[in-house]
Amino acid sequence: MAADLANILADLKEQEALKIVKDRLGAGEDALKILNDARKGMEVVGKRFAESQYFIPDLVYSGEILKAISELVRPKLTKTAGTKKLGKVVFGTVAGDIHDIGKDIVVFMLDVNGFEVHDLGVDVPAQKFVDKIKESGAPVVGLSGFLSLAFDSMKQTIEAIQSAGLRDKVKVMIGGGQITEEVRKYTGADAFGKDAMAGVSLAKKWIGAG
Ligand code: B12
């Protein structure tokens, strides 16, 4: 079943993929597990694109299928009890990068886990992060990026936070498809997270709620 979803998504069979997701949700399967299988399918899409078996329209289509899957899965990701927010997080995909599916999943998971998230969207210039941190007083910043060029944007964003005198007031986490510990060191971020739950754990730890 798990392999089915990854393979069917990789083959860009939208209706079949959505049916599997609906069936699995109907059977009470863990929503995060379903998302994880979908992510495996996207890895195959990325690989096929890198090997010139797929082209830009295929990437776009895979993104649309994944968005539709996310919409189905979202209502099943439960909200934590209570309305009191744990703390603020400023989040965005860095300059030059427009990938937002991974970002949206992390933002959503932070939100349902009790954080007040200021989502700046995609292709966000460094200064916009700085302005939002100042305005909101958020102690946690999340930078998302899927392209190699995002590493430099992340580094520049963290440098801009430093230049604005805010570096010791915020913890910065980074994430996205290609992010590793090497990249974390290069950018000067405090931590990197492999997936949405890693982002939630980091934010909880830093805000003292974990
Ligand atoms: C879909 C897709 C697109 C779609 C994006 C649609 C959208 N609305 O986001 C479109 C078609 C727009 C696109 C465009 C491009 N893409 Co693209 N794309 C992909 C693809 C196939 C999937 C990405 C995705 O959404 N994955 C699904 C999510 C859920 O992934 P995830 O990693 O599991 O997400 C989790 C973590 O990353 C983490 N996370 C994410 N952010 C953060 C942040 C924090 C703080 C934390 C803690 C965690 C965290 O949590 C997420 C949820 O659990 C990848 C391949 C891949 N394997 O990633 C290529 C890929 C990223 N794209 C690539 C390329 C080259 C491009 C283009 C340059 C193509 C072109 N020539 O135009 C453009 C760039 C446009 C731009 N300026 O950004 C390359 C990048 C190569 C590189 N090294 O730079 C990849 C790797 C494909 C490849 N193998 O060649 N792309």
Side-chain angles (χ1 to χ4, degrees):
M1 199 78 146
D4 282 0
L5 178 59
N7 289 332
I8 282 166
L9 177 54
D11 290 342
L12 307 177
K13 292 179 180 154
E14 179 173 11
Q15 293 313 320
E16 279 180 57
L18 294 180
K19 182 171 183 318
I20 292 180
V21 172
K22 282 180 198 156
D23 288 350
R24 288 177 63 176
L25 286 172
E29 249 202 76
D30 178 27
L32 274 179
K33 191 169 175 300
I34 297 174
L35 272 184
N36 195 38
D37 291 338
R39 188 189 51 75
K40 287 182 193 147
M42 297 304 272
E43 273 173 25
V44 180
V45 171
K47 201 163 158 273
R48 289 183 186 169
F49 175 73
E51 290 166 355
S52 301
Q53 290 175 47
Y54 277 175
F55 300 96
I56 301 286
D58 303 307
L59 274 192
V60 174
Y61 190 36
S62 72
E64 282 167 8
I65 302 174
L66 186 60
K67 283 210 167 175
I69 291 175
S70 302
E71 292 305 315
L72 287 176
V73 165
R74 262 173 212 213
K76 303 286 178 190
L77 296 164
T78 41
K79 276 212 181 267
T80 45
T83 49
K84 195 178 161 286
K85 291 286 178 187
L86 293 177
K88 294 178 184 171
V89 181
V90 169
F91 215 99
T93 299
V94 293
D97 196 323
I98 62 161
H99 293 83
D100 66 356
I101 304 173
K103 168 187 74 67
D104 287 350
I105 295 173
V106 191
V107 166
F108 180 76
M109 289 308 291
L110 285 167
D111 181 57
V112 298
N113 278 282
F115 292 93
E116 180 183 328
V117 189
H118 297 268
D119 182 359
L120 301 177
V122 297
D123 190 14
V124 181
Q127 189 58 39
K128 211 167 157 189
F129 280 102
V130 170
D131 293 345
K132 197 49 153 186
I133 296 165
K134 278 190 192 152
E135 182 202 312
S136 65
V140 176
V141 180
L143 306 179
S144 183
F146 281 75
L147 300 173
S148 309
L149 70 78
F151 307 162
D152 284 322
S153 297
M154 287 173 170
K155 188 175 162 64
Q156 284 153 15
T157 304
I158 294 169
E159 282 166 2
I161 293 171
Q162 169 97 44
S163 306
L166 298 166
R167 188 65 186 92
D168 58 350
K169 294 191 172 61
V170 293
K171 288 279 193 188
V172 182
M173 58 179 170
I174 61 172
Q178 334 264 327
I179 305 295
T180 59
E181 175 57 20
E182 293 264 283
V183 178
R184 186 208 58 81
K185 279 197 198 127
Y186 174 72
T187 60
D190 295 295
F192 81 100
K194 269 276 156 225
D195 56 28
M197 282 320 290
V200 171
S201 301
L202 285 168
K204 279 191 175 166
K205 187 171 92 182
W206 289 336
I207 280 178

